[in-house]
Amino acid sequence: MAKKILDVKPTRMELLRIRKRKALAMKGYQLLSEKRDALISSFFKLIKERKKKRQEMEEKLMEAYKSLIMAEMVMGEEKVHWLAEKISKERKIKMEKSNIMGVSIPKFELGEEIKLDYSLLSTHSEFDEAIKKANEVLEKIVEVAEVEGSIQLLGKEIEKTKRRVNALEYIFIPRLLATISYIERQLEEREREDFFRRKRMKALLQKHEY
């Protein structure tokens, strides 16, 4: 269980110092709350975008699958597989980064399309269409991967920011307020004691004068 007050001496200097800390903590709390809200807003926008991108990807996958089936029906499964082996299997992905409220978000850019290492005369238009659709699918997969990565990074940052906001709101700021209140009470009590002490001293002095 957190201590209710800080371990400080109840002096006016400490009171000023704790008040400054409280002001900084309040400002930090406000800034972090704004950051948390902005991150959550961006997070839900990405969730909505992911749904759209996934749907587009699934549609492209279905189109590519149908094109492949048609190519196999027209050219034969063996020839399609043989031609597929002649296609370069690698497409480079360039990664850059963007920034959302201090969070580094990945941005993927797909490299050049798959190179065709065969004569167009030896194929059918259905096979060329299947290749085209496969490239479109790959682009959609990369888009989904980008969104998924962004969602994961934002989710982690939201949790971290929420923990810091909660720590300020429920532990640190209340502790500072309690400490300020404690010091103020102690100082008021000392002032009352000093007042009564001076009053007694004055009464004693007056008594001796007579």
Side-chain angles (χ1 to χ4, degrees), residues 162-175:
K162 280 170 69 177
R163 284 196 297 271
R164 292 172 70 187
V165 168
N166 289 340
L168 283 169
E169 183 177 2
Y170 298 112
I171 299 172
F172 195 61
I173 291 174
R175 189 180 295 177

Side-chain angles (χ1 to χ4, degrees), residues 59-168:
E59 287 171 1
K60 289 294 181 184
L61 275 168
M62 186 56 67
E63 288 174 12
Y65 180 70
K66 287 178 180 177
S67 293
L68 179 62
I69 295 300
M70 287 298 295
E72 287 179 347
M73 287 174 64
V74 172
M75 299 169 60
E77 187 176 336
E78 236 177 77
K79 188 171 184 181
V80 168
H81 286 188
W82 179 78
L83 287 168
E85 287 293 324
K86 290 186 169 290
I87 298 171
S88 173
K89 297 178 178 63
E90 292 185 2
R91 284 189 71 178
K92 292 184 179 179
I93 296 176
K94 183 181 177 182
M95 189 181 84
E96 295 180 350
K97 290 186 178 181
S98 62
N99 192 288
I100 299 178
M101 296 300 293
V103 183
S104 234
I105 300 298
K107 301 290 289 184
F108 297 138
E109 185 181 340
L110 202 55
E112 294 179 3
E113 287 192 7
I114 294 171
K115 295 176 183 179
L116 306 180
D117 191 24
Y118 59 85
S119 169
L120 294 175
L121 296 173
S122 64
T123 66
H124 195 277
S125 61
E126 294 295 344
F127 182 78
D128 299 331
E129 183 67 14
I131 295 297
K132 180 186 170 186
K133 294 295 182 185
N135 278 311
E136 290 173 1
V137 168
L138 193 55
E139 286 168 6
K140 291 299 175 184
I141 289 171
V142 169
E143 287 177 11
V144 170
E146 182 182 299
V147 175
E148 289 282 3
S150 300
I151 287 171
Q152 287 183 19
L153 290 169
L154 279 183
K156 288 178 182 177
E157 188 65 22
I158 287 168
E159 284 304 312
K160 187 169 76 173
T161 306
K162 280 170 69 177
R163 284 196 297 271
R164 292 172 70 187
V165 168
N166 289 340
L168 283 169

Side-chain angles (χ1 to χ4, degrees), residues 194-204:
D194 288 342
F195 172 76
F196 287 119
R197 190 179 299 112
R198 287 194 302 268
K199 194 173 179 181
R200 284 196 300 271
M201 288 294 293
K202 186 178 180 182
L204 287 169

Side-chain angles (χ1 to χ4, degrees), residues 19-42:
R19 281 175 175 169
K20 285 180 182 177
R21 287 180 68 183
K22 187 205 80 170
L24 285 172
M26 293 295 289
K27 187 176 180 181
Y29 170 75
Q30 184 182 353
L31 291 172
L32 282 171
S33 295
E34 289 171 1
K35 179 182 178 179
R36 176 200 58 197
D37 294 343
L39 286 170
I40 289 171
S41 176
S42 298

